[in-house]
Amino acid sequence: MATQCASHEADVGEAYEHPLVLALSAQEMPPARRLPVVPVQIAYEGESKYGVDGPKELIAAMPPNGGNKVLLHSCCAPCSGAMFEEMVSKGLEVTIFFYNPNIHPKEEYEIRKNENKRYAIKRGVPFVDCDYDSDAWFERTKNQEFEPERGVRCTACFDMRMEVTAQYAHEHGFSCFTTTNATSRWKDVNQVNDSGIKAAARYDDVDFWVYNWQTDEMTERKYKVSAEERFYKQEYCGCLHSLRDSNIWRKTQGIPPVKIGGEEAGLGTRYFEDPVADAEEENQEVVDQFFKDASRQFDNERLKKQFEHRKKSQADGDGLNNW
C-alpha cells in the first residue's frame, strides 16, 4: 500500500512541469462566476426536463456540431476514465479540464486533482490545471449552506463550473464540451445537463454534448478502469456541506466518518481495487437511500431549523437567498 502511494506522489511531482499540463488562473475566469443568481430551469415544449430520457434530438453519440475536439470537464479521475476511453474510441481529441473550486478541504482537492493529472499524463492528453477558486465558490453559493443535496446549491455549483468551462472552450477553439459529472449515479443528470446547456448558450460557437454516459456498460467499465489505475477513492461529493451531510448520514447508518487522504478510508478500501466490491459500496439502493434521507435533512433538527429559517427569510423578502 505504501509503495503504491509513494509511486503516485512521484508521478504527481513530475506532472507539475510536464508539457501536457496547462494552467488557467482565476484572473482569466469570467468575473460573473462569483455572483449569486436566481436559478433558471430550461424547459422545452412538452418536456419539463432532459437527460438520458429527455428529447432525443439533444442526445448525440457524437459531438453535436461535428467537431472532433472535446473539452472534458472532469470532477475526478474515477469519473473520467471510462468516459475518456469512450471518446478516444470514437476518434475524438480530448483535453481534460479540472475546475472544481467546490472541493474541500484543500488537501482533498489536491489529492483528487493530482490523481486526474497523473491519469491524463499517462494517457498523453492535455490537462488544464485551473486555480483553486474556492473563495469565488463560497461567494456563489452564499446562504445555501443548508440546501438539501441535489438542491439549489448543487445547481449553482454546476452552473459555476460549466460557465468557466464554456468560456475556456470558446477562447481555445473547442466547439463542444461536456462533463464527467454526467457519469455519476450520485448526480442528477438532468441538473448537470441543464447547467451545461445554459453555459454553452452564452456562445455561438460552443455546444454542450448531451449523451447517455450512465449505461450499464459504461458504469461497469468505469469501475474496471478505476481498479486498474488504483485511483484514490473519495468518500463524498466534494464540498464542505456535502462532507457534513455525508458524516451525518453515516452516523445514522453506523458507518465510520469520512477520512481525508491517508492509507485508510472511513468505509471500504482507500483505493479502487475490486470493480465488483467497489461498485457495491455505492449501489443504486445506497444512493437512493442517501437522497431520500437528505430530503428530510437526515432527520437532523439543526439542519431542519436552518433550512426552514432560510425559506422563511426568502419568503419575507429578507435579502437574496437563492432559493
Side-chain angles (χ1 to χ4, degrees):
M1 188 76 74
T3 301
Q4 180 70 30
C5 185
S7 176
H8 280 206
E9 290 174 356
D11 291 343
V12 167
E14 296 170 2
Y16 287 109
E17 302 299 328
H18 199 283
L20 285 173
V21 177
L22 310 173
L24 181 69
S25 70
Q27 289 71 31
E28 298 174 275
M29 299 174 190
R33 75 191 186 285
R34 295 175 170 269
L35 304 177
V37 296
V38 177
V40 175
Q41 294 290 350
I42 296 178
Y44 292 82
E45 185 176 355
E47 299 284 351
S48 60
K49 286 285 187 180
Y50 51 79
V52 296
D53 297 317
K56 300 304 179 184
E57 65 271 18
L58 288 178
I59 303 171
M62 292 292 287
N65 47 28
N68 69 336
K69 286 180 61 177
V70 180
L71 185 64
L72 175 60
H73 170 269
S74 179
C75 58
C76 61
C79 285
S80 68
M83 197 167 177
F84 168 78
E85 288 192 355
E86 176 74 5
M87 292 181 182
V88 171
S89 73
K90 295 174 181 291
L92 301 174
E93 183 181 335
V94 183
T95 293
I96 295 176
F97 188 80
F98 194 88
Y99 177 67
N100 299 290
N102 55 306
I103 301 174
H104 297 275
K106 181 73 177 296
E107 178 185 359
E108 179 78 5
Y109 172 85
E110 292 293 341
I111 292 171
R112 297 191 194 187
K113 180 183 74 173
N114 289 333
E115 283 288 85
N116 213 163
K117 185 184 296 185
R118 177 177 65 86
Y119 178 68
I121 291 172
K122 178 180 178 179
R123 297 304 303 262
V125 298
F127 180 92
V128 183
D129 184 351
C130 301
D131 274 357
Y132 184 49
D133 198 28
S134 60
D135 288 346
W137 186 86
F138 278 111
E139 288 183 42
R140 181 68 175 257
T141 59
K142 185 178 180 180
N143 293 324
Q144 298 173 354
E145 295 86 351
F146 297 97
E147 263 282 323
E149 295 290 322
R150 290 184 175 174
V152 174
R153 184 184 69 239
C154 295
T155 296
C157 181
F158 291 136
D159 283 353
M160 180 181 182
R161 288 186 283 168
M162 294 302 97
E163 288 163 12
V164 173
T165 307
Q167 177 183 277
Y168 189 91
H170 168 68
E171 294 180 348
H172 292 82
F174 292 91
S175 59
C176 85
F177 70 96
T178 191
T179 175
T180 61
N181 283 299
T183 71
S184 175
R185 59 178 54 145
W186 290 97
K187 303 294 184 290
D188 179 342
V189 69
N190 295 302
Q191 190 177 34
V192 172
N193 289 339
D194 279 353
S195 294
I197 291 178
K198 285 185 295 185
R202 298 171 176 229
Y203 307 99
D204 293 335
D205 58 347
V206 176
D207 286 315
F208 179 76
W209 184 9
V210 178
Y211 183 52
N212 184 1
W213 303 104
Q214 292 189 23
T215 63
D216 290 343
E217 181 182 1
M218 282 287 292
T219 299
E220 181 180 357
R221 185 59 187 148
K222 171 182 172 180
Y223 287 105
K224 285 184 178 179
V225 172
S226 295
E228 289 166 0
E229 297 293 333
R230 204 163 181 267
F231 285 142
Y232 171 82
K233 189 190 296 181
Q234 58 255 29
E235 300 186 67
Y236 62 105
C237 177
C239 79
L240 184 67
H241 316 307
S242 71
L243 175 58
R244 172 203 64 207
D245 291 349
S246 293
N247 279 330
I248 290 173
W249 185 76
R250 284 180 172 222
K251 187 174 182 179
T252 68
Q253 303 296 310
I255 301 172
V258 170
K259 289 186 178 180
I260 307 296
E263 291 300 313
E264 294 183 359
L267 173 67
T269 57
R270 176 75 289 169
Y271 302 99
F272 285 89
E273 297 176 354
D274 181 332
V276 176
D278 295 334
E280 185 60 25
E281 283 180 16
E282 50 181 11
N283 64 45
Q284 196 61 53
E285 183 178 345
V286 170
V287 173
D288 292 343
Q289 185 62 53
F290 175 85
F291 286 109
K292 180 180 179 181
D293 294 345
S295 68
R296 305 193 311 269
Q297 283 74 51
F298 309 101
D299 295 323
N300 182 281
E301 291 304 317
R302 177 171 177 268
L303 286 183
K304 286 182 178 180
K305 288 179 181 178
Q306 291 288 353
F307 184 74
E308 292 304 320
H309 173 72
R310 293 295 187 198
K311 286 200 295 185
K312 183 177 184 302
S313 295
Q314 191 274 341
D316 293 342
D318 183 18
L320 177 62
N321 287 306
N322 302 307
W323 291 91

